[in-house]
Amino acid sequence: MEPIGTNDPTRRNFLRLATAGAAVAAGVAVARPAAAAAPDRAPFVANGALVIDVRDHGARGDGTTDDTAALQAALNAGKGQIVYLPPGTYPVSTMLSVFSGTTVVATATTVIRRTAGPAIMGNGVLGDFTATKWDGESDITIQGGVWDVNAGAVTASGSAFGFSHGHNVRFTDLTVRDVQRHHGIELNAMKTVRVVNCRFEGFSDPEGNRGYSEAVQMDYAGGPSHFGLFGAADFYGCQDIEISGCYAGPSARFPSFPRLAGSHGGPDGHQHTGLRVLNNYAVGCTEWAIRLYDWTDAVVESNQIVGGGGGIQIGPAGVQPGGNIIVRGNTLRDLSGIKEASGRPPDAAICVGRLNDARTRNLVIEGNIIQDVVFEGISVYRTDRAVVAHNVIARCGGVGVRVNSSPRAVISGNNITTPGREGIVAHVGSHGSRISDNLIELSATYGISITDNVDDVVVRDNTVFGAGTTAGTAAALRVSNYANRTALLGNTVRRRGSGSEASYGISITGTCSGTWYTGNDLRNAGPSAAVSDQGIGSLTTPGGLT
């Protein structure tokens, strides 16, 4: 197939559209072509920069010819300009390098297909380790195209894009397809990046050991074990990254990515900051669809996670605390569960602090919907000042909301239906927490449990209907195992009235001291009695201690 001639009117139309689209993406004005332009050329100009058509550098786009050299020649000539890839299929046998100030524009029917190499495109040169911090090739836009990593046909691992040590980069309206073991877009030591309206379809893991691969990965420059293609190993992390309006799911040949977005590396001293994952849709992700590893100042909002393994996981790396995180308005449903470590208890649809002993601080989990998941709804471990509020949890396989080693937690306004164990649990060091205004219905065991060496928890104004659908459950409100100075105030408990159900409205075991319970509505609370109190020094007067 011969290249289309430079005087072909169809080509001129493509050039005109490409220039306009790229200029809009870059926020620049498009000048009209000069009246004196040669009749066989179409020098459509954006801020004085010519559009570079890859066919002018010998690219054929016929799906057979190796176009690597021609595409690289166009990218070299197009530094600081617009490089246009017309419709066609362009085989690429090693990583292409894109440079500062370049906009790469492709159409919906442009396919860039990897036949070898570690990635299709990067913002550096393979083996050049001089770039540091966020000062490498920057101010780059990649718009449109199908970037086919060609898993299966190419057995070596590879990504679509590997970017490192740069800033001000935008990926928009492109499709990444059939990644082999690595990532769709890999960001290492990158600042101010936007990944917008992109699709990530298909992931291959023939060896079965890359369950942690993300479609969009945010990692740090840690050398060959993290990103060894180019750039210095200076341990810089990512800052100001936003992933929005994207899709992760299966392709025609392979299942979905393990993760839509996240990290599996945390730098000591250069924490990932200002990361946002917004309004994305993930279907069939086999591991955590979104994983915040060593992030601070982060927002995960309005994502839909459907039909996969896990939902959202938050965890510091162990070298520094994570925190200042908002998880709001996400929908998670039909999740089959994930268990990262042998012998560890099951995780949750939204799971915090289970990775190691480092702590998280200042966390809000609010307004999420969790439905039909086989594990717990929301679990918060080793977190200071957590708020878990106004979530809807329906039919989870374990506890609805759990806080563990999380002092001063606020659990408020949640609606929890048919959890496979307790509705809400506060235990092991979650001192001074407040559990209020929650509605819990048909919990398999306790409605609310305060247990295991926890002090000064307030349980107030909650409603528990039909606790104890599992035979032998002691109570709707349970205080046990050295829980001290618990306050149970103004709660409403009602028994189901048929089948298995909790024996008491309130149960306090003999190891607990100073429990104060008053003002609770326990009419028809349990078949045995309203209260079973074996505790030490319990108080029932309305005023409590004076």
Side-chain angles (χ1 to χ4, degrees):
M1 174 179 176
E2 292 298 324
I4 299 174
T6 54
N7 61 346
D8 187 286
T10 302
R11 182 178 182 185
R12 291 200 299 272
N13 288 334
F14 277 130
L15 286 169
R16 182 181 294 109
L17 293 172
T19 305
V24 170
V28 298
V30 180
R32 293 184 180 276
D40 61 341
R41 305 299 293 167
F44 300 104
V45 179
N47 271 11
L50 295 176
V51 172
I52 305 298
D53 189 317
V54 297
R55 291 172 296 187
D56 288 340
H57 293 268
R60 299 176 70 88
D62 59 12
T64 302
T65 304
D66 187 341
D67 282 323
T68 307
L71 296 181
Q72 190 59 61
L75 291 166
N76 292 343
K79 293 178 183 179
Q81 304 179 67
I82 299 167
V83 176
Y84 172 54
L85 285 79
T89 297
Y90 300 85
V92 172
S93 58
T94 192
M95 189 190 81
L96 301 169
S97 298
V98 62
F99 302 101
S100 291
T102 303
T103 295
V104 177
V105 177
T107 75
T109 56
T110 302
V111 179
I112 304 91
R113 178 166 293 149
R114 169 179 169 261
T115 61
I120 299 176
M121 181 175 284
N123 66 328
V125 176
L126 285 174
D128 181 354
F129 299 105
T130 58
T132 62
K133 303 179 180 178
W134 299 308
D135 297 332
E137 303 293 338
S138 302
D139 303 306
I140 296 167
T141 295
I142 312 295
Q143 178 179 320
V146 177
W147 302 78
D148 183 2
V149 183
N150 207 13
V154 182
T155 58
S157 302
S159 299
F161 299 94
F163 274 51
S164 183
H165 291 299
H167 62 270
N168 194 24
V169 173
R170 183 179 181 89
F171 301 88
T172 180
D173 301 308
L174 56 84
T175 297
V176 171
R177 186 167 294 157
D178 294 344
V179 164
Q180 181 85 347
R181 299 185 74 248
H182 283 175
H183 309 282
I185 298 174
E186 184 168 3
L187 304 173
N188 290 263
M190 292 293 293
K191 178 180 179 180
T192 309
V193 178
R194 303 293 180 264
V195 181
V196 182
N197 295 335
C198 296
R199 294 180 65 85
F200 301 91
E201 301 174 352
F203 176 82
S204 174
D205 181 16
E207 297 177 12
N209 59 3
R210 289 287 301 191
Y212 53 85
S213 281
E214 300 91 355
V216 182
Q217 184 204 29
M218 290 145 282
D219 210 336
Y220 68 101
S225 63
H226 291 272
F227 186 79
L229 303 184
F230 54 85
D234 58 7
F235 287 80
Y236 259 65
C238 286
Q239 183 180 106
D240 183 22
I241 312 293
E242 183 172 304
I243 303 162
S244 62
C246 295
Y247 167 87
S251 70
R253 299 176 61 209
F254 295 104
S256 184
F257 276 83
R259 301 174 180 168
L260 163 66
S263 307
H264 54 259
D268 189 359
H270 297 290
Q271 199 163 21
H272 304 307
T273 62
L275 277 55
R276 302 174 298 283
V277 183
L278 313 171
N279 299 300
N280 302 287
Y281 183 76
V283 58
C285 289
T286 53
E287 214 231 27
W288 301 104
I290 301 171
R291 190 190 195 229
L292 288 66
Y293 187 65
D294 206 21
W295 293 16
T296 189
D297 302 329
V299 179
V300 178
E301 185 169 1
S302 299
N303 300 283
Q304 298 176 59
I305 300 170
V306 177
I312 300 168
Q313 186 190 56
I314 301 167
V319 293
Q320 54 205 349
N324 304 343
I325 294 169
I326 297 172
V327 179
R328 175 188 293 144
N330 303 283
T331 300
L332 305 91
R333 65 175 174 83
D334 300 324
L335 301 180
S336 60
I338 179 171
K339 194 170 183 179
E340 287 189 311
S342 178
R344 196 171 77 182
D347 287 312
I350 300 176
C351 186
V352 184
R354 295 297 302 278
L355 296 174
N356 47 50
D357 292 332
R359 299 193 67 83
T360 302
R361 60 175 181 255
N362 305 337
L363 169 73
V364 174
I365 302 175
E366 180 182 26
N368 303 282
I369 297 174
I370 299 170
Q371 175 185 317
D372 295 319
V373 301
V374 303
F375 40 17
E376 297 188 348
I378 299 171
S379 295
V380 178
Y381 284 73
R382 289 179 284 276
T383 298
D384 301 305
R385 298 178 300 278
V387 174
V388 181
H390 304 292
N391 301 284
V392 176
I393 303 172
R395 300 183 297 278
C396 65
V399 174
V401 175
R402 178 194 298 273
V403 291
N404 182 303
S405 190
S406 298
R408 309 298 189 266
V410 174
I411 305 172
S412 178
N414 299 285
N415 190 314
I416 303 170
T417 303
T418 57
R421 290 185 55 188
E422 299 93 327
I424 297 173
V425 175
H427 61 156
V428 188
S430 298
H431 307 304
S433 293
R434 180 183 178 96
I435 301 171
S436 64
D437 298 294
N438 301 283
L439 191 153
I440 302 166
E441 185 174 5
L442 298 175
S443 56
T445 59
Y446 315 124
I448 299 174
S449 174
I450 313 302
T451 187
D452 295 336
N453 296 288
V454 60
D455 301 333
D456 302 308
V457 174
V458 176
V459 180
R460 183 162 196 154
D461 298 326
N462 301 281
T463 301
V464 179
F465 290 125
T469 60
T470 298
T473 301
L477 306 177
R478 173 79 159 173
V479 182
S480 64
N481 295 334
Y482 301 96
N484 301 307
R485 299 183 301 278
T486 303
L488 306 172
L489 312 172
N491 300 286
T492 298
V493 176
R494 294 288 185 269
R495 60 182 287 197
R496 188 159 54 111
S498 63
S500 298
E501 55 189 341
S503 298
Y504 305 97
I506 295 174
S507 171
I508 305 165
T509 68
T511 59
C512 301
S513 64
T515 305
W516 177 34
Y517 56 98
T518 187
N520 299 287
D521 183 351
L522 304 177
R523 292 174 290 176
N524 197 29
S528 297
V531 178
S532 172
D533 183 0
Q534 306 298 319
I536 303 167
S538 298
L539 304 167
T540 59
T541 58
L545 287 172
T546 58

